[in-house]
Every structure is written in C-alpha cells, then in structure tokens.
Amino acid sequence: MRYFRLIFTFMKAAFQNESAYRLNFVMNFLSAVLGLAGGIGGIYILYVNNEVLNGWTMPETLAVLGVYMLVQAVKNVVIGPSMNKLGGMDGEIESGTFDYTLLKPISTQYYISVREWSLWSVLHIAVAAGVVLFAIDGMNSEITLLAAAQFLLALVISLGILYSVMLILSSVAFWYRGTYMLWIMEDILQAGRYPIGIYPRPLRLVLTWVLPVGFIVSVPAEALVQKAEPLMLAAGAVLMVILFTVATLFFNRSLHKYSSASS
C-alpha cells in the first residue's frame, strides 16, 4: 500500500512542477496534433491506390497507429521520464547523485521506474484513444467483449515488454558511464506505426522475435481488430515474463558496478 501512495505523491509533485510551466501544455498539444497528422498522412499515402494492403484495411491500419500512439504516450508519461535520469553525461550515474537514490528506503528498481511523471503527456493518451475509437467506428465489424478483453490483456503484455527492454537499456549506463541507450527504443518503435503484416516476411520475423515491436504494438492492434491468434498472446505473455526476469536480474547485477560519488 505504501508503494501505491508513493505514486500519488510523485504525481502530485509532478503536477505542482508542471503547473509552473503552462506553456508545456500547449507544446504537448501541438506535438500530439503534429504526430497524428504525420501518422495519418503516411497511412493515406499507403492506401491512396489500395483498399487492402496484405489483408489490412485503412481503418485497421489506423487502429495500429492509435495503439502505437497509446504505447508511446504511456511511455512518455512515466517510464521514459523516470529512466531518463539514469544515463547520459548529465545522468545520476555519471554525476554520482545516484547515491541519493540508493539511500531511499524503498526498492531501487521501483523508485527509478515511477519517480518522474510528465502529466501534460496525458494529452497524447487522449489523442491516441480518440484515434482508436475513430478507427473502430470505421470498421465494418463490431468489437466483441472477447476482443476488448484480449486487447486489454495484449496492452498489459505490451507495456510489460516495453518496460523490461527500457530497464535493460537503462542498466547499460552502469557498465559504460555516460552512455544513454533509451534512444534505441525510440527508433525501434517507429517501425510499429504500421502493421507488421505489411512488411516482407524476413523483416516481420525480426520485428517480432528479435526486436519485439510486433508484441508491443501489432499484437494489441490485432486483438482490437479481431485478428489476434491466442498462441501469439500466450507467446507474448511468456516473453514478457522472461524479459522482466532478465531485466530485473540485469539491473540488480548492474547496481554492483556503480561507483558512488564518495568512492
């Protein structure tokens, strides 16, 4: 229960901090609109001469874009801001201020995962939800209760995989001080703007089993448009558990590589 109360404390502190910079609200709104315009423009180009692309209609591809934006938005609300403080030349590990993090009387992994919130980024979540609802409205079939449940399950799996990969990338900074690896995740996720199914088979395999963009974006979208296979959902759940376990072990092992400011 104490850990849940801490989340509200962090959110309250973030709100007080961001209220002093109200221009950030406008900038985040413009960023969401521009990102949406760019995404829709790319989809329009794909479908200007095609009604169906490798089995995907335009509304279904729009649903993929909505899921991509939703995952990105959740990442930018808490996971990204929290872990961004670790690596880089100005990060806690390089400057030695990670000492104060280690002194906190709570789990270090928990703290570095939820300590910073970018509440204005909630606007991106609202825009993403609007895109998903608009895409659903453009489909010919109704979303069943089973499809909705599969979508929520796939979304939890997606965020679990995303968190685990980001924790692994952030932990690299303990081994190579001053490095910042989270940009890799940002670049990888760009491939998730469109359905994995429209890419050539070799690239689909890479984006699913090597770089898990398929599990992070496409599988939740497939569940939403009722194209998901139960086997893929099960595989995603197994992958999430494995990656989370690996990420936790790697993070705890990486902590031993840290040299405090006083050493």
Side-chain angles (χ1 to χ4, degrees):
M1 187 62 68
R2 178 168 67 106
Y3 279 27
F4 286 106
R5 288 200 300 269
L6 278 173
I7 289 179
F8 290 106
T9 301
F10 292 141
M11 291 177 66
K12 181 180 178 181
F15 178 76
Q16 293 173 341
N17 181 55
E18 295 195 4
S19 295
Y21 304 95
R22 297 178 183 176
L23 182 61
N24 287 350
F25 176 87
V26 178
M27 297 305 294
N28 271 282
F29 177 76
L30 291 176
S31 174
V33 171
L34 291 175
L36 176 60
I40 292 177
I43 292 175
Y44 175 78
I45 292 172
L46 284 175
Y47 286 92
V48 66
N49 293 317
N50 303 282
E51 291 187 4
V52 179
L53 193 60
N54 279 9
W56 287 81
T57 64
M58 186 172 180
E60 290 172 345
T61 302
L62 191 61
V64 175
L65 175 65
V67 173
Y68 163 80
M69 294 176 64
L70 182 61
V71 171
Q72 282 277 38
V74 173
K75 175 179 72 67
N76 292 334
V77 166
V78 58
I79 306 174
S82 294
M83 293 188 182
N84 279 340
K85 297 182 67 175
L86 285 177
M89 297 303 295
D90 297 326
E92 292 178 326
I93 298 173
E94 178 65 17
S95 64
T97 55
F98 190 70
D99 291 5
Y100 302 109
T101 297
L102 291 174
L103 291 174
K104 298 290 190 298
I106 57 174
S107 164
T108 302
Q109 181 178 334
Y110 176 83
Y111 179 71
I112 64 106
S113 301
V114 300
R115 58 183 168 175
E116 292 289 332
W117 291 72
S118 177
L119 295 182
W120 292 142
S121 294
V122 172
L123 281 170
H124 292 257
I125 294 179
V127 171
V131 173
V132 170
L133 292 175
F134 181 78
I136 292 173
D137 185 62
M139 297 178 196
N140 294 326
S141 58
E142 294 184 359
I143 302 300
T144 64
L145 186 61
L146 176 61
Q150 288 181 333
F151 169 69
L152 293 176
L153 173 61
L155 192 59
V156 170
I157 293 171
S158 162
L159 294 174
I161 292 174
L162 177 64
Y163 167 80
S164 300
V165 174
M166 291 184 67
L167 181 61
I168 291 172
L169 293 175
S170 298
S171 300
V172 173
F174 288 101
W175 299 79
Y176 304 98
R177 296 183 60 161
T179 57
Y180 178 79
M181 302 294 291
L182 289 182
W183 61 269
I184 295 177
M185 194 71 249
E186 195 71 31
D187 288 349
I188 290 174
L189 281 178
Q190 292 295 325
R193 287 176 174 269
Y194 309 108
I196 294 296
I198 72 172
Y199 294 111
R201 181 174 175 78
L203 187 55
R204 288 205 305 267
L205 292 174
V206 171
L207 291 176
T208 301
W209 301 106
V210 181
L211 308 173
V213 176
F215 286 109
I216 294 174
V217 179
S218 281
V219 171
E222 288 172 0
L224 189 64
V225 302
Q226 303 178 60
K227 289 186 176 183
E229 299 179 4
L231 183 60
M232 288 298 288
L233 286 174
V238 171
L239 180 63
M240 179 190 69
V241 172
I242 292 174
L243 283 177
F244 181 81
T245 302
V246 170
T248 300
L249 291 173
F250 183 58
F251 175 75
N252 289 329
R253 176 68 181 86
S254 299
L255 287 178
H256 297 294
K257 300 290 293 184
Y258 175 67
S259 300
S260 69
S262 60
S263 63

